[in-house]
Amino acid sequence: MDASSRQSTAVARFRRLHEDGCFVIPNPWDAGSAIFLENLGFEALATTSAGFAFSRGLPDDPSVLPRDVMLDHIAEIAGATKLPVNGDFQSAYADDPEQVATNVGLCVLTGAAGLSIEDATGLRDRPLYDEPIAIERVKAARAAIDASGVPVVLTARCESFLVGAAEPERVALSRLAAFAEAGADCLFAPGVIEPAAIARMVKEVAPKPVNVLVSTMNRTLTVAQLRDLGVRRISVGGALARVAWGAFMRAARSIAEDGSFASFGDAAPFDELNALFER
């Protein structure tokens, strides 16, 4: 199967996943973690800007992780697995809608089955794009996808909870509804924690699907609970990468501080990893 046919198959599969039910879309940070997650039976994957940045010795900041590096990373993950992959494309690496469209078109070419764009500016004094501009950016992304002829799933993110906006739920509800009207296929407000707020979000944009991020702050939520709230898609962002970092840091500190190698007892078996990556 050539790359174009492979992407078309992945896009169709990804779209079907969003039609009903609830699925978990975990976030690998490199090819190896993507292969392992596929092997566990997950139905789709999503990249994580944070997990990838940490693997490069960088903070999760688009200003230090250029567009083309991110495009290459999304292409690497999409190429490592048969599963549909959603690309975490941050703020599309552009301010104005015209450049958003150009960059989204490039992201489609990575082989991804979907991509997400944010309404965060990265500026302290104005952390979110003004709502009219944010809406135009989603419209531009939609137009670029339509022009590409590859109907990848467009996820529009409102970052109001993460940037500490005043009345973050009100902002998110308003924007996500507008993003849905502007052509987004899936809606996402990372940082929403309370079940009642999640339920209101699902209702506000229905029938379009909602993605909820589960991380350290809301880790007691279960797939069953989120399904009952009407959530269609569950991602974990950089959480899996941070779990891996946590194990590595504890083991390394044990050697440096105590001279102990006892933590190696928790290491993944060499033969299991070797077999996993034999293709």
Side-chain angles (χ1 to χ4, degrees):
M1 184 183 296
D2 63 24
S4 177
S5 297
R6 182 176 173 178
Q7 184 179 25
S8 295
T9 299
V11 169
R13 186 176 176 184
F14 200 35
R15 285 194 164 275
R16 285 195 299 272
L17 285 172
H18 288 79
E19 290 174 1
D20 56 55
C22 179
F23 67 100
V24 178
I25 182 168
N27 303 72
W29 60 94
D30 60 13
S33 55
I35 291 168
F36 180 71
L37 291 169
E38 178 181 5
N39 194 60
L40 282 179
F42 288 103
E43 297 183 276
L45 305 175
T47 67
T48 160
S49 62
F52 176 52
F54 300 155
S55 76
R56 298 291 294 263
L58 296 169
D60 185 20
D61 182 345
S63 68
V64 298
L65 200 63
R67 180 199 68 181
D68 291 351
V69 172
M70 184 59 77
L71 289 170
D72 287 346
H73 172 62
I74 294 171
E76 178 187 26
I77 300 298
T81 174
K82 296 182 179 67
L83 297 180
V85 171
N86 187 83
D88 177 358
F89 205 42
Q90 304 209 86
S91 296
Y93 297 86
D95 293 320
D96 65 278
E98 183 177 352
Q99 189 60 49
V100 167
T102 297
N103 292 348
V104 166
L106 294 173
C107 193
V108 173
L109 295 176
T110 63
L115 62 95
S116 59
I117 64 168
E118 308 168 1
D119 61 353
T121 65
L123 303 174
R124 290 187 178 181
D125 59 340
R126 187 171 59 89
L128 298 177
Y129 290 103
D130 293 339
E131 187 167 322
I133 295 296
I135 294 168
E136 289 303 314
R137 286 162 47 82
V138 174
K139 288 181 179 179
R142 175 81 271 156
I145 290 169
D146 292 344
S148 75
V150 184
V152 303
V153 174
L154 173 61
T155 299
R157 295 176 42 151
C158 175
E159 306 294 292
S160 58
F161 287 93
L162 297 188
V163 302
E167 300 183 86
E169 183 182 345
R170 180 190 62 77
V171 173
L173 290 177
S174 174
R175 291 188 176 219
L176 293 184
F179 294 164
E181 288 290 327
D185 299 303
C186 182
L187 291 311
F188 184 14
V192 61
I193 295 173
E194 296 299 326
I198 294 171
R200 287 190 290 269
M201 199 167 290
V202 169
K203 181 178 180 181
E204 185 67 27
V205 303
K208 292 198 174 181
V210 165
N211 183 104
V212 166
L213 172 70
V214 175
S215 191
T216 51
M217 294 295 292
N218 57 349
R219 64 187 182 276
T220 58
L221 290 171
T222 66
V223 172
Q225 288 172 324
L226 290 166
R227 181 190 299 118
D228 290 345
L229 291 170
V231 173
R232 195 71 51 81
R233 190 174 93 181
I234 304 166
S235 59
V236 300
L240 283 173
R242 292 191 292 116
V243 168
W245 270 100
F248 166 74
M249 292 164 74
R250 285 190 295 274
R253 283 174 177 151
S254 179
I255 297 168
E257 297 171 4
D258 305 322
S260 169
F261 301 94
S263 59
F264 288 2
D266 296 325
F270 176 88
D271 290 345
E272 182 179 338
L273 287 171
N274 217 35
L276 176 66
F277 299 132
E278 286 179 351
R279 293 268 177 156

